[in-house]
Amino acid sequence: EAGVAQSPRYKIIEKRQSVAFWCNPISGHATLYWYQQILGQGPKLLIQFQNNGVVDDSQLPKDRFSAERLKGVDSTLKIQPAKLEDSAVYLCASSSGPGLERYNEQFFGPGTRLTVL
Amino acid sequence: AQSVTQPDIHITVSEGASLELRCNYSYGATPYLFWYVQSPGQGLQLLLKYFSGDTLVQGIKGFEAEFKRSQSSFNLRKPSVHWSDAAEYFCAVGRATDSWGKFQFGAGTQVVVTP
C-alpha cells in the first residue's frame, strides 16, 4: 500500500513570497489533515478535510494560509505572503475516516521543510 | 485547558539499556493516548495507542506504554534500545468524545543512542 505522498520535500523562499505544498493521501482515505511542526514543537493541526469539505480550520491563519481538496483526493496548502515565522515542516496525514477509533489511524507523509529567509 | 507535557526534551541512552519516556496530560474528558516516533526525514509513525481496557499497551518495535489515570501519565518504555531507536518521540492525546478525531501533540523527546 502506497503511503501519503508530499512534494516538494524542501523549499526555501524569501519572506513575502508565496509557496504551495501538495499532498496525495492514501487511496480511499476520506479524511485529510495538514499539520505545522515548528522546530522544537509537536505538530499542530492547521486544517482537516472530510472528503472535499473543511471540518476544522480553527488554527489556520486565514489571512495568509489557504487549503483546498478538490475532488476529495489530493490537497494543496498555500501560504501567501510568507513570513519568517512560517518556517516549519508541513505534514500531511490521512485516515480512512474521522474520529479516533482504532480503525482510523492517521498515516503521515514525510513532510515539506519550508525555510523562509 | 488541555495540555500534553513531555518533561524531557532530550535523553541519551546507551545501546542495550532500558528507555523510559514520560508523558503527562491534562484533559477534561476520557482521553485516547498515542505515542508516535519520527525518524530524520520521515513522517510520524504510530508506535502504540490506548483507548480502554488493559492499561499496559504493547506496540511495535518492542515498545510498551502504561496508562496511569491517577497520575495522568502515559509513559513509554523499551527494555533494551537499539541504535535504530534514535529518533524523536511524540506523545499525543485526543478526546474520546471528539467525533472529528483531533488530538494534541506534546513537544517531543529527542532520543540519542550511544554505542
Side-chain angles (χ1 to χ4, degrees):
Chain A
E1 176 181 86
V4 177
Q6 290 188 248
S7 67
R9 294 294 307 275
Y10 305 91
K11 190 73 177 179
I12 300 175
I13 61 172
E14 301 279 337
K15 61 183 179 183
R16 290 187 291 273
Q17 286 186 322
S18 62
V19 64
F21 313 128
W22 174 81
C23 172
N24 181 229
I26 292 173
S27 178
H29 278 192
T31 311
L32 185 146
Y33 312 78
W34 282 103
Y35 290 87
Q36 179 192 57
Q37 186 179 14
I38 293 172
L39 186 64
Q41 300 180 19
K44 180 184 79 172
L45 180 68
L46 292 176
I47 189 167
Q48 179 178 346
F49 291 92
Q50 180 63 22
N51 296 308
N52 61 351
V54 175
V55 299
D56 186 347
D57 63 358
S58 57
Q59 298 198 83
L60 186 75
K62 299 180 187 62
D63 58 334
R64 298 183 300 107
F65 286 65
S66 64
E68 61 183 8
R69 190 183 184 198
L70 299 177
K71 301 181 181 179
V73 182
D74 294 6
S75 177
T76 56
L77 176 69
K78 297 178 181 178
I79 308 176
Q80 182 179 12
K83 292 185 175 181
L84 296 177
E85 57 262 36
D86 298 331
S87 293
V89 175
Y90 291 85
L91 296 166
C92 179
S94 70
S95 63
S96 55
L100 294 174
E101 289 73 21
R102 300 175 191 274
Y103 46 83
N104 282 340
E105 178 181 340
Q106 290 187 29
F107 293 87
F108 286 80
T112 297
R113 182 175 298 277
L114 173 67
T115 302
V116 182
L117 303 176
Chain B
Q2 302 161 5
S3 66
V4 184
T5 303
Q6 293 181 246
D8 304 303
I9 297 172
H10 187 275
I11 285 181
T12 299
V13 60
S14 299
E15 191 168 14
S18 64
L19 174 68
E20 181 168 12
L21 304 182
R22 296 182 290 164
C23 174
N24 296 98
Y25 65 90
S26 173
Y27 248 62
T30 302
Y32 284 168
L33 299 155
F34 307 80
W35 274 100
Y36 283 85
V37 61
Q38 187 175 37
S39 300
Q42 305 292 318
L44 285 89
Q45 181 182 22
L46 181 65
L47 285 175
L48 47 78
K49 55 194 174 186
Y50 172 79
F51 290 95
S52 63
D54 192 347
T55 56
L56 186 62
V57 181
Q58 302 297 320
I60 62 172
K61 304 186 179 186
F63 285 91
E64 66 177 25
E66 186 171 13
F67 171 55
K68 293 184 176 180
R69 185 184 297 276
S70 62
Q71 298 178 19
S72 297
S73 69
F74 188 56
N75 294 349
L76 182 72
R77 298 192 293 255
K78 185 169 184 177
S80 177
V81 299
H82 186 262
W83 63 265
S84 59
D85 294 323
E88 189 153 24
Y89 293 79
F90 293 92
C91 178
V93 182
R95 183 177 297 162
T97 55
D98 185 341
S99 59
W100 293 117
K102 188 165 63 176
F103 50 53
Q104 184 172 351
F105 285 89
T109 298
Q110 185 71 45
V111 173
V112 173
V113 180
T114 60

